[in-house]
Amino acid sequence: MEEKDLLYRMRHSAAHLLAMAVLKLRPEAKLGIGPVIDNGFYYDFDLDTPLTPEDLATLAATMHELVEQDFAFTKASISREEAKEKFANQPYKLELIADIPESEELTTYTSGDFTDLCRGPHVEHSGQVSPHFQLTTLAGAYWRGDEKKPMLQRVYGVLFETSEELDAYMDQMEAAKKRDHRKLGQELDLFTFSDMVGAGLPLFTPRGAMLRNLLVKYLQSIQEPLGFESVWIPHMAKPELYKTSGHWDKFKEDLFHVTGKNDEKFVLKPMNCPHHNQIYASKPRSYRDLPIRYAEVTTNYRDEQTGELHGLSRVRSITQDDGHVYCMPDQVQDEVMRIYNIIQTVYKTFEMPLKVRLSLRDPEHKEKYLGTDEVWEKAEGQLKEAMSRMDEESYVGVGEATFYGPKLDFMATDAIGRDWQVATIQLDFNQPDRFKLVYTDADGQEKQPVMIHRAIYGSLERFLSILIEHYAGDFPLWLAPVQVAILPISDKFLDYAKNVESELTKHGIRVTTDTSNESIGKKIRNAEMMKYPLMLIVGQKEVESSSVSVRVHNKSIAQPEEAVVSLDQFLDKFSFDLPKVTT
C-alpha cells in the first residue's frame, strides 16, 4: 500500500487518534512512534501504569468520539529549536529529532489539541477516518528495536474501509488462533523449546524431524531431475568471507562471533552464498560447464532480538533450502523459469495459490544497495521480463530488493486467506564481481557469470509454521509424521495389531499402535486429537477375517465412513508415498 492511498492515510491518522485517546486516559504517557502496518497501525507508549486488555474498549470508544468531532489534520514545518521546545517533555521524540539529518525538513501534524512529530500523510479531517476499526492487542516492544533501550507498550489496531472487511478480518484472526502453530506444535508433539538451549532455538521431536525430512525429500525429488546438485558447507567462516560479500556490514549487528584457541576469529554463518561462491571458485570454469546449479539445506544463525522471536516464525537458527545458479547472461531467463517451475510445482501440491512481486531497489536511497545503476537496471529488466512469462498475479514492490540485487518474491495464500512471503528468486551481478568469479567463454576470454539465488520454502522453520496453520495440523497423508494409528479394542488383540503394524512398516508406512489399556472410545478420541489421518481398529471380527476396520480422520483423504477391508485392500485404497512429480 502506498502513502498516497486513502486507506494508508486513514490508518496513519487512526494511529494519531490512538495517541490522543491514550493521553486522555494516561496524561503522563511518553510517546514513541505510530506507523502504518499491514491491515492497520500501532503506537508505542512509555507508561507509568501499563494498559490492560480491558482498556482497549475504552480507548476505541474515545477514538470513535474523536472521529465524530471531525477536526482537521494540519501540517506545519518546524525548526529544530521549535521542535525541541515543543517536545521538551517527550524524550523519545527528542531522540528522533536529533537523528533526523539537518538537510531534512521537520514537520508536525496537529489534530484537535494534539501535535505529533510526523512527516504524514494524513486525511484532511478526522471525519474521513473509517469507523471500521478495532484495537486488537497489547505487546511489549523495545524502543527502536534495541533491547538495550526501554521496553515500551505497543497497542495494535486494524482498520478497513467497510464493516464487511473488518468482520472478515476478525473472523480470520479467530480462525488463526485455533490454528496457532505454537499451540498445535506442542499438542501434536512436533517441536519444543528449552530455556537451557536458548530462545529462538527450536528442538524438533521425531515427529517434527520427520516433517522436516519429508519436505526436504520432496523438494529434492523435484530439483534433482532439473540439474541441482547437492553441496555441503560448514556452519562458520572467517569474517573476511562476509566482508568480501558485503554481508558483514549488512548483518554485523546480528552475527554470532566465535573465537578459536589461538584467538582466530570466526562467525556463525548468516548466509550460504559466499560459501557456495568458494566452491565455484575452487577450479577453472568453462562456458561449457554452465549453468552450474548448487543446492543445500543448511542452517544459518542470526542474533535476532529476543522480543521479536515468535515460535517457528522467527528464530535464531534458520534452516534454508538454499540454491545458487551460476550461468551466462543469455541463460538467465531459462534458469529463472526452471526455478519458477519448481516453485509452482511445490505450491500446487500444498494447494496454496501464488502471487509474485517484482522487488526493486528504492531509487530515492540508492546508497543502501551494492552495484552501479547500469547493473541494477539490467537485472531489474531481466526479472521483469521473466515475471511477464509467469502464470501468476503479479505486482511491483519498490524498495523491497535485497542490498545486492532485485528479486521475485512469491506470496502463498493459506487456507484461511492469509498471504505469506515464501519462495524467492534473486538476481545478483554484484557477488560474482566482488569474489572475482569468472568462466572462460567460447572466444577464450574470461567473463563474469550471473548468480541467481533461490529458495523454495524460504526457511524450513518458518515454512513449517505456515504449513501447520494452513492444514490446522491435519497434514495430507504423504506428509503426516504418523500416517496410521492401529487401535486394538483390548489387550488380547495386541499381537494381531503388532502383526498389522509390522506388515505396514514393510511397505514404508509410518505407523503407531496404541498399547494403552484405555477403552476403544478413548483410544479413538486420542487418535483424533493427534490428527492421525487413518485409524485401523482391530478386534475379534478383524482377527477372524484377517481384516481391519478403517476410520478416516482427514476428510481430504477420503470420506470418514468406517469400512472393514483386508490389509491388501487397505494398501491399494490409499497412496502413502511422496506426490508424483512431473516438471
Side-chain angles (χ1 to χ4, degrees), residues 344-354 412-416 467 470-471 476 478 556:
Q344 189 179 48
T345 300
V346 167
Y347 288 91
K348 279 185 177 178
T349 295
F350 295 121
E351 297 183 295
M352 299 179 77
L354 291 172
T413 304
D414 71 8
I416 59 173
L467 214 55
H470 173 57
Y471 288 120
W478 71 269
S556 67

Side-chain angles (χ1 to χ4, degrees), residues 234-243 248 251-252 254-259 264-271 275 301:
H235 287 226
M236 64 182 190
K238 292 181 177 181
E240 286 71 23
L241 182 70
Y242 290 105
K243 289 178 181 177
W248 185 267
F251 292 101
K252 60 186 175 184
D254 300 325
L255 297 175
F256 287 103
H257 297 265
V258 180
T259 303
E264 193 171 8
K265 306 297 184 185
F266 296 89
V267 295
L268 295 182
K269 63 183 174 73
M271 287 287 183
H275 289 254
Y301 306 88

Side-chain angles (χ1 to χ4, degrees), residues 310-368:
H310 181 82
L312 298 183
S313 302
R314 190 77 176 263
V315 294
R316 286 176 166 144
S317 54
I318 307 158
T319 307
Q320 292 184 317
D321 61 296
D322 217 350
H324 297 97
V325 178
Y326 303 87
C327 64
M328 294 183 286
D330 62 358
Q331 295 172 325
V332 167
Q333 290 295 318
D334 285 345
E335 291 306 305
V336 169
M337 295 308 293
R338 180 183 297 261
I339 297 166
Y340 169 61
N341 191 4
I342 298 172
I343 294 169
Q344 189 179 48
T345 300
V346 167
Y347 288 91
K348 279 185 177 178
T349 295
F350 295 121
E351 297 183 295
M352 299 179 77
L354 291 172
K355 294 189 280 285
V356 59
R357 178 182 72 198
L358 174 59
S359 297
L360 308 176
R361 68 173 174 168
D362 182 351
E364 301 298 321
H365 297 282
K366 295 180 181 179
E367 72 281 357
K368 295 180 179 179

Side-chain angles (χ1 to χ4, degrees), residues 180-422:
D180 190 322
H181 76 275
R182 295 168 298 175
K183 171 177 171 286
L184 288 173
Q186 295 296 310
E187 292 175 356
L188 303 181
D189 189 25
L190 301 177
F191 60 87
T192 188
F193 289 89
S194 164
D195 290 339
M196 293 186 72
V197 174
L201 300 169
L203 306 170
F204 286 86
T205 66
R207 291 177 181 177
M210 178 60 71
L211 271 176
R212 290 170 64 100
N213 293 340
L214 287 165
L215 289 174
V216 172
K217 187 176 180 181
Y218 173 54
L219 178 57
Q220 288 173 336
S221 74
I222 302 171
Q223 66 186 16
E224 286 178 358
L226 292 176
F228 280 89
E229 298 180 290
S230 294
V231 295
W232 185 93
I233 61 176
H235 287 226
M236 64 182 190
K238 292 181 177 181
E240 286 71 23
L241 182 70
Y242 290 105
K243 289 178 181 177
T244 300
S245 70
H247 290 98
W248 185 267
D249 291 333
K250 178 70 175 177
F251 292 101
K252 60 186 175 184
E253 299 300 326
D254 300 325
L255 297 175
F256 287 103
H257 297 265
V258 180
T259 303
K261 290 180 180 178
N262 299 317
D263 290 333
E264 193 171 8
K265 306 297 184 185
F266 296 89
V267 295
L268 295 182
K269 63 183 174 73
M271 287 287 183
N272 308 308
C273 38
H275 289 254
H276 288 185
N277 288 338
Q278 298 311 291
I279 298 176
Y280 178 92
S282 64
K283 65 179 186 179
R285 307 290 180 178
S286 162
Y287 74 97
R288 297 178 186 274
D289 301 322
L290 303 184
I292 291 173
R293 309 178 187 97
Y294 296 146
E296 181 177 18
V297 178
T298 184
T299 303
N300 299 320
Y301 306 88
R302 297 180 195 169
D303 191 10
E304 303 282 4
Q305 298 282 357
T306 302
E308 296 178 351
L309 299 173
H310 181 82
L312 298 183
S313 302
R314 190 77 176 263
V315 294
R316 286 176 166 144
S317 54
I318 307 158
T319 307
Q320 292 184 317
D321 61 296
D322 217 350
H324 297 97
V325 178
Y326 303 87
C327 64
M328 294 183 286
D330 62 358
Q331 295 172 325
V332 167
Q333 290 295 318
D334 285 345
E335 291 306 305
V336 169
M337 295 308 293
R338 180 183 297 261
I339 297 166
Y340 169 61
N341 191 4
I342 298 172
I343 294 169
Q344 189 179 48
T345 300
V346 167
Y347 288 91
K348 279 185 177 178
T349 295
F350 295 121
E351 297 183 295
M352 299 179 77
L354 291 172
K355 294 189 280 285
V356 59
R357 178 182 72 198
L358 174 59
S359 297
L360 308 176
R361 68 173 174 168
D362 182 351
E364 301 298 321
H365 297 282
K366 295 180 181 179
E367 72 281 357
K368 295 180 179 179
Y369 307 90
L370 300 177
T372 63
D373 288 348
E374 181 183 2
V375 165
W376 274 88
E377 288 166 8
K378 182 178 180 181
E380 290 177 344
Q382 286 185 309
L383 285 186
K384 184 176 182 180
E385 181 181 344
M387 187 172 73
S388 69
R389 298 167 61 189
M390 295 178 180
D391 186 25
E392 311 291 353
E393 179 184 337
S394 60
Y395 60 102
V396 173
V398 176
E400 298 292 341
T402 65
F403 71 100
Y404 54 74
K407 56 179 178 165
L408 295 174
D409 289 317
F410 292 83
M411 313 296 166
T413 304
D414 71 8
I416 59 173
R418 297 173 300 179
D419 287 339
W420 303 93
Q421 183 175 327
V422 283

Side-chain angles (χ1 to χ4, degrees), residues 110-121:
T110 299
S111 46
D113 58 0
F114 173 68
T115 299
D116 203 358
L117 182 72
C118 183
R119 65 181 181 85

